[in-house]
Amino acid sequence: MHQPNVQPHSSSYFPYEVYPFNRPSDMGAQETANHPVVIVGAGPVGLVLAIQLAQQGVAPVLIEAEAQVSGGSRALALTRRSMEIMEQCGVAERFLTEAIVWNEGRSYYRNAVVHHLEIARSDNDKFAPMTNLAQCWIEKFLLDRALELGVDVRFQTRLDAMRVKDDAVTLTLDTPEGPYSMVADWVAGCDGARSTVRKLQNLRFEGRSYESRFVIADFRMELDEPPGRRCYFDPPWLPGHAALMHKAPHDIWRLDYQVPAEVSDEEALAPERIRSHIAAHLKYIGVHEPWTLEWTTLYKPNTLTLARYNHGRVMYCGDAAHLLPVFGVRGMNTGVQDAANLAWKLAAVVNGLAAPELLDTFSSERVADARQICFEAARSTRMMAPPTRGFSVMQQAVLSLSLDHEFTRGLLHWRTSRPIDYAQSPLSWQDHDECTFTDGPAPGAPPSNVFLEDTAHGPAYLLDYVRPQFNVLVFGSDTDLWQAIHQDIRTVREAGLPVRLIAVRSDDTKAADADAVLLDSGGRAAAQWGAQGGAVYVLRPDLHVCARWKPGSHTQLTQVLVRAMNAAEPVACA
């Protein structure tokens, strides 16, 4: 029988709770229970997927082998795009009660700043470029939200076997009270780097695994320094290697440092060795505050991905699908985008609104993203931890030149995570007047937020009004355009497809049957979206632009949505 650790993890800043095994009705039932979706792994990715499925009318079962949320801070930095997804999940406000935000970082060599990273933030951005929150808090807030939505979360439940057929998947589960089975129409493997789901399907990654290793150590220290990532090349306490220092909430600081090749994993994780390295680094940067060690782990950078993320009735998200370097905060953030992409497509299939072939676009879109990240992250990894003597010589040359010359400093850029543009996806509709747009998010792109006004409840932004469903934004007051969209909305709603209609207007003229009317009196939103003369934008449930067109176009909302659900080929811009 599966007996997970039920002793609360040690922490000075997070109140760990042991979640009991609650015997489900499936156990001992005469017939094996059938569920539309079973998600394996209750980390951030599995929880986001469960929440968004629940929001879209699907009742998932979420199983987790452990009895607690994540031990330690682990994945720490959320990008702006991830925070927008978290807002769709209903947890962004909770995150910000505990988080710290930042947008700057510096790289040092021989006590000199050789690169200064500053990620831009405008008045239109509701969220900072980076939001730091320990993974234990991330999982806690997401878990609370999932339970609020009625998600069936089963802790202390380990997947032992899986049989995939054409029409269903049979799962054999082990628990503290013994084994039982359940049947799922679909399974989502969100169970991390050592994914049991992936192993049971005998799937292999493609890409590269690097030999370099990094210790990640969290320590608690009261230090009044601004947040932001600091990278130190060739510090005197670790010659020829690199270290990073990062601030987290609750007076937690993280030190990531490279492990020399001659040091074994066991030696690297020895507490006395880690403490001596932290002390040496703090002395090097002139910090003399007292500190206590909180949590440690060993990390190895990889640029690996499955060639496909859908295998029969089994889908893969997050580290179960790809292993990406932490440099540039790519791991969890990429997984969160996986979950948002899969959720709406899987919900459409389960709810009978789309054929299973729609799930092929989940794989093609997200694999393309992972491969692009592997390409970009490999360059960052080679600069941080040169894999060969040649790359080491190049790193030293770049660092030496960067002491006095600006032209080499760009090579030290961390290439931070950014949301993919699905421009080449078959779900991205290219209207024939697409080339006349000079601004705004193009088909396939993530949306651009816009500050609208200050209200009694705080600042209001355009993305506050969208939901995890198809959103149709109609800019301007063109009567013919509104009537055409209004008629199409009725048609698609009668077919059972949830669509939200949003009018964006410069005055207070009425918009019949709109779900929301946004007042854009200064024309700020219209200008940023290239819609000064009126335009229609269709956002997918994951908020990427599906299509856009202007008054006078022959494009119809019905044909756009039918194409999106049937995953047909995109139309080229004339």
Side-chain angles (χ1 to χ4, degrees):
M1 290 188 294
H2 176 51
Q3 298 290 343
N5 175 29
V6 294
Q7 293 300 315
H9 297 308
S10 175
S11 176
S12 66
Y13 68 93
F14 182 78
Y16 277 99
E17 177 182 353
V18 173
Y19 295 93
F21 171 73
N22 295 315
R23 185 181 178 90
S25 58
D26 305 46
M27 291 189 73
Q30 290 279 338
E31 297 182 4
T32 302
N34 187 284
H35 301 275
V37 179
V38 172
I39 302 168
V40 183
V45 176
L47 285 161
V48 168
L49 178 58
I51 288 167
Q52 293 213 340
L53 284 171
Q55 288 174 322
Q56 296 173 68
V58 176
V61 175
L62 178 58
I63 65 171
E64 171 55 53
E66 300 302 325
Q68 306 170 66
V69 298
S70 166
S73 64
R74 297 189 183 274
L76 179 67
L78 294 143
T79 63
R80 180 185 293 128
R81 181 74 189 103
S82 290
M83 285 299 292
E84 290 171 351
I85 294 170
M86 295 302 177
E87 183 171 46
Q88 290 292 294
C89 292
V91 296
E93 188 173 332
R94 300 182 202 185
F95 279 21
L96 292 175
T97 62
E98 297 286 342
I100 60 174
V101 300
W102 59 280
N103 72 324
E104 291 190 72
R106 288 174 171 80
S107 295
Y108 298 85
Y109 178 58
R110 296 178 183 171
N111 294 316
V113 176
V114 290
H115 182 248
H116 178 204
L117 171 70
E118 185 171 5
I119 310 172
R121 182 179 187 180
S122 77
D123 293 341
N124 288 321
D125 294 321
K126 183 172 184 177
F127 301 107
M130 296 290 170
T131 299
N132 277 9
L133 184 64
Q135 185 170 329
C136 46
W137 284 107
I138 291 172
E139 291 185 10
K140 167 63 175 172
F141 291 140
L142 286 169
L143 175 61
D144 289 347
R145 177 61 174 152
L147 295 174
E148 287 174 6
L149 293 171
V151 174
D152 183 355
V153 184
R154 303 183 185 184
F155 281 95
Q156 304 189 41
T157 301
R158 184 184 68 196
L159 173 64
D160 275 359
M162 185 173 71
R163 185 176 58 180
V164 183
K165 294 185 177 180
D166 290 341
D167 59 348
V169 181
T170 301
L171 306 172
T172 301
L173 308 171
D174 195 17
T175 75
E177 295 186 16
Y180 72 101
S181 296
M182 72 166 83
V183 176
D185 295 332
W186 300 93
V187 170
C190 302
D191 51 340
R194 297 179 178 86
S195 171
T196 299
V197 180
R198 190 180 65 238
K199 290 175 183 176
L200 289 173
Q201 285 203 295
N202 196 30
L203 301 177
R204 297 289 183 268
F205 284 128
E206 59 179 37
R208 178 170 184 176
S209 180
Y210 289 85
E211 294 302 318
S212 58
R213 296 158 298 154
F214 283 77
V215 164
I216 301 178
D218 286 356
F219 57 99
R220 193 164 191 178
M221 174 180 65
E222 292 185 14
L223 181 64
D224 188 18
E225 287 287 332
R229 187 163 291 182
R230 300 159 174 83
C231 178
Y232 302 87
F233 289 100
D234 199 21
W237 61 274
L238 194 66
H241 299 288
L244 300 98
M245 189 169 169
H246 206 188
K247 187 176 184 179
H250 301 282
D251 294 322
I252 297 296
W253 288 84
R254 169 178 287 184
L255 183 68
D256 300 32
Y257 59 85
Q258 195 175 358
V259 178
E262 66 273 13
V263 177
S264 70
D265 291 354
E266 292 75 16
E267 291 175 304
L269 287 171
E272 61 274 13
R273 185 184 185 93
I274 293 173
R275 287 189 174 92
S276 69
H277 283 336
I278 294 173
H281 183 72
L282 294 177
K283 181 180 179 180
Y284 167 58
I285 63 175
V287 173
H288 305 287
E289 304 298 328
W291 56 272
T292 56
L293 187 61
E294 184 77 21
W295 170 81
T296 62
T297 191
L298 191 68
Y299 163 78
K300 188 175 182 180
N302 299 286
T303 50
L304 301 170
T305 179
L306 293 175
R308 206 171 73 246
Y309 294 170
N310 58 330
H311 292 264
R313 288 185 167 263
V314 182
M315 312 288 127
Y316 290 89
C317 292
D319 286 353
H322 44 68
L323 296 178
L324 308 172
V326 297
F327 315 125
V329 296
R330 293 177 169 90
M332 176 183 62
N333 291 289
T334 305
V336 166
Q337 291 180 59
D338 292 342
N341 187 300
L342 177 59
W344 75 267
K345 296 171 182 177
L346 190 52
V349 173
V350 170
N351 291 329
L353 300 172
E357 286 73 22
L358 178 62
L359 297 172
D360 292 337
T361 68
F362 158 67
S363 179
S364 62
E365 290 179 350
R366 298 310 302 156
V367 169
D369 189 22
R371 286 178 172 157
Q372 179 62 29
I373 290 171
C374 285
F375 173 74
E376 294 179 355
R379 292 187 289 176
S380 301
T381 302
R382 290 193 295 266
M383 183 58 68
M384 286 293 302
T388 66
R389 183 177 181 277
F391 281 115
S392 182
V393 170
M394 182 188 73
Q395 181 207 54
Q396 290 302 309
V398 169
L399 290 169
S400 297
L401 286 168
S402 296
L403 289 170
D404 301 305
H405 301 283
E406 184 69 33
F407 76 94
T408 56
R409 293 175 182 173
L411 296 173
L412 299 171
H413 195 291
W414 302 337
R415 298 178 179 88
T416 50
S417 175
R418 54 185 173 79
I420 190 176
D421 187 324
Y422 299 133
Q424 302 305 313
S425 170
L427 304 188
S428 299
W429 173 286
Q430 295 279 337
D431 186 77
H432 290 294
D433 67 2
E434 169 60 28
C435 296
T436 66
F437 279 92
T438 57
D439 292 294
S448 301
N449 212 350
V450 183
F451 168 75
L452 297 173
E453 60 178 339
D454 285 310
T455 72
H457 303 290
Y461 295 84
L462 188 148
L463 294 185
D464 294 345
Y465 296 89
V466 301
R467 300 291 181 267
Q469 62 191 81
F470 280 98
N471 295 267
V472 179
L473 281 67
V474 183
F475 289 82
S477 303
D478 185 287
T479 303
D480 293 338
L481 181 64
W482 182 261
Q483 288 180 346
I485 292 298
H486 191 245
Q487 182 57 47
D488 278 358
I489 286 283
R490 288 183 177 178
T491 300
V492 297
R493 284 176 174 169
E494 287 171 0
L497 182 63
V499 179
R500 182 172 172 81
L501 180 58
I502 301 171
V504 186
R505 301 203 162 176
S506 59
D507 53 39
D508 58 358
T509 55
K510 293 183 179 180
D513 294 335
D515 295 295
V517 179
L518 311 188
L519 182 60
D520 184 31
S521 56
R524 190 171 186 171
Q528 187 161 321
W529 286 57
Q532 293 92 331
V536 176
Y537 274 82
V538 181
L539 304 185
R540 303 170 4 166
D542 60 2
L543 303 190
H544 283 259
V545 176
C546 182
R548 63 177 181 175
W549 64 91
K550 294 183 177 180
S553 169
H554 294 296
T555 294
Q556 294 178 313
L557 176 62
T558 48
Q559 65 184 154
V560 167
L561 295 179
V562 167
R563 182 179 293 274
M565 291 309 224
N566 292 332
E569 290 301 315
V571 177
C573 182

